[in-house]
Amino acid sequence: MNIQVLPEHKLSSVAPLKQFNVEKKEVELILVKEQNGVQYTNSSVVASPSSRGCTSGSGSAEDEVRETWGKKMDFLLSVIGFAVDLANVWRFPYLCYKNGGGAFLIPYVLFLFIAGMPLFYMELALGQYNKEGAATVWKICPIFKGVGYTVIIIALYVGFYYNVIIAWSLYYLFASLTSELPWLKCNNPWNSPNCTEPQHINGTFLGNRTPYAKYKNTPAAEFYEREVLHIHESKGINDLGLPRWELALCLILVVFILYFSLWKGVKSSGKVVYVTATMPYIVLFVLLIRGITLPGAMNGIRAYLHIDLEKLNDPQVWIDAATQIFFSLGAGFGVLIAFASYNKFENNCYRDAILTSTINCITSFFSGFAIFSVLGYMAHQHQVNIKDVATEGAGLVFIIYPEAISTLPGSTFFAIVFFIMLLTLGIDSSMGGMEAVITGLSDDFKFLKRHRKLFTFAVVFGTFLIALLCITNGGIFVLTLLDAYAAGTSILFGVLIEAIGVSWFYGVDRFSEDIERMMGFKPGIYWRVCWKFVSPAFLLVVVIASIVTSGNLRYDNYIFPRWSNMVGWSIALSSMLFVPIYAIYKLLIIPGTFKERIAYAITPEHEHHLVTEGNVRQFKVRQC
């Protein structure tokens, strides 16, 4: 048992003053105990003698118990596991190839340093200093609390469909437990009369009209679309049908894994990531070693790395790089804030931000070698160009790559390890999203924290119920709609408001002082300039580009009806509207003149006594 006395300037990090409460805290006792490898902090705040006189002579105390990560590695692996997800494998390699190969790394790395890392660092520091989830962390600037609800709702929306993709991976894993992979030949009940086996397909057969990656009558393509999705039994999003029981069982298993990974907080999830965060690296290495031994592999790698600087003249390349670096690092979902809130106060989150964001980007680049070595082999087998087999998303990991694996000696083994990789990539990312929801809401509503196990069950079971819509015959259309609108423009908007709230209202100078209290040094001028000017400008441009480039939604040749696009934008707005609605609500419930309401709304709660004295720091112009 350790007892620490913290100086007064650290008090706001744990126990801020309540709104309109001018009581000043003087001493804070922190009781640290360790149980089953997890540290718990019990903080008691003691009022000064003068303030005790203001409360009828009785001292007030606030007791907070918040667990911390048992080991530093638990936190690092959790952050890496969340950030390194399916997009690192199924999106980055194709984007790199499509947008100039090595030339694409120029805007990608540029945006990593001027926006990706600064935002990553900002969220880790914000969560660690304030020890709160995505909503209650806005005690630093109460009027912005709505953005906390925005990111929590978005994280919940993502869980509705992301768990379905994990269920697909589980379905493929079970289907791989056979001596001959079911997507190798056409003699299966789900195959159509037009099914054509790979050895009978070449460039001459396809002609110039259909790239191989878009050919729908291979055994692998038909297994995905006719056996897994049953898309041939649906006419569109208005013809969903009933959930498929096989996928429902897989989804139940996914929810089961998520629940028992999260029910005890970081005490349980911090151990699960030792498997889920490390397994993808082992599998990627195995697949790379096998891939580079295949005929045509080097052609695929050369196509992946070719440098076409002319592509940099295309604005779309820069937009792709900006959106990829943002979504790849995972800022804005409330996950980094939630994870960091369980850190020790003095943890070096600066070093953590640099390390984990770098590992994430290196993983994306490294995965391209494993992917394109196999795509080179596919192009060689079918006598087509790399561009004819290169694709992204589900088509890559559920059609093209499985087909290539099915033609190799020991195909069952490679299929099993590949889908285990997809499963673990998805699980720890989904765990991060669920933790953001659970921590964010339980920090705001204390009765939820007291019943964490029940609340965790409610969250994961709720996502399961909505996810049932995505495993119907037309479920892929629901999933595509959610993927496009639930966490597209809305999450970009949320992080833009978050960056503005921290940098311009709470203040970069005050934020830097908070970091100095934690780690003993202030962020350099580079970070402060990025937080105040560069990152908000970057996010504003990306938000505008996201809106301008959005068009009618489509899945392959199916064009979504107009009403479905309206539903999609309604989903996006349902989370974004929390920002203005809560701001208006906050201003209405605060008493006083309009200027006083503004002052209280933009001043950290622990400094409301200064507002009473007429000293509003936010009304003063300060440089970064």
Side-chain angles (χ1 to χ4, degrees), residues 175-198:
S176 300
L177 302 176
T178 177
S179 58
E180 182 179 274
L181 297 177
W183 53 85
L184 178 62
K185 295 182 180 178
C186 288
N187 56 350
N188 300 290
W190 58 81
N191 291 127
S192 71
N194 297 324
C195 181
T196 307
E197 295 183 1

Side-chain angles (χ1 to χ4, degrees), residues 22 36 69 117 137 181 194 256 286 302 370 446 458 497 529:
V22 299
N36 296 327
W69 298 98
M117 278 187 180
V137 76
L181 297 177
N194 297 324
F256 180 85
V286 170
R302 278 193 290 268
K446 300 303 180 184
I497 301 302
V529 169

Side-chain angles (χ1 to χ4, degrees), residues 388-400:
D388 293 320
V389 294
T391 187
E392 63 178 327
L396 173 64
V397 298
F398 292 120
I399 299 177
I400 296 298

Side-chain angles (χ1 to χ4, degrees), residues 137-278:
V137 76
W138 288 102
K139 62 188 180 183
I140 65 171
C141 191
I143 199 171
F144 282 93
K145 190 176 181 179
V147 76
Y149 293 127
T150 293
V151 300
I152 289 171
I153 294 299
I154 291 173
L156 187 63
Y157 286 168
V158 171
F160 293 160
Y161 68 89
Y162 197 83
N163 292 344
V164 174
I165 301 174
I166 304 173
W168 293 347
S169 303
L170 196 59
Y171 188 91
Y172 267 85
L173 178 61
F174 290 143
S176 300
L177 302 176
T178 177
S179 58
E180 182 179 274
L181 297 177
W183 53 85
L184 178 62
K185 295 182 180 178
C186 288
N187 56 350
N188 300 290
W190 58 81
N191 291 127
S192 71
N194 297 324
C195 181
T196 307
E197 295 183 1
Q199 62 268 28
H200 301 137
I201 302 175
N202 55 41
T204 304
F205 178 86
L206 289 175
N208 296 322
R209 293 171 298 175
T210 307
Y212 188 86
K214 298 296 182 183
Y215 187 63
K216 296 298 184 182
N217 295 122
T218 63
E222 291 200 349
F223 180 82
Y224 173 64
E225 294 204 336
R226 298 175 67 87
E227 168 63 5
V228 179
L229 302 183
H230 277 230
I231 194 173
H232 63 290
E233 297 181 8
S234 173
K235 297 178 182 178
I237 194 170
N238 54 348
D239 180 25
L240 297 181
L242 296 174
R244 300 194 50 243
W245 69 268
E246 302 97 327
L247 288 179
L249 290 178
C250 292
L251 191 59
I252 289 172
L253 185 54
V254 170
V255 169
F256 180 85
I257 294 171
L258 286 173
Y259 175 72
F260 285 102
S261 298
L262 294 168
W263 70 322
K264 291 185 179 180
V266 296
K267 179 180 177 180
S268 55
S269 64
K271 305 309 175 188
V272 174
V273 292
Y274 278 86
V275 175
T276 58
T278 57

Side-chain angles (χ1 to χ4, degrees), residues 376-392:
Y377 164 70
M378 287 285 288
H380 173 81
Q381 288 292 98
H382 299 295
Q383 303 173 24
V384 296
N385 295 324
I386 299 292
K387 66 180 181 180
D388 293 320
V389 294
T391 187
E392 63 178 327

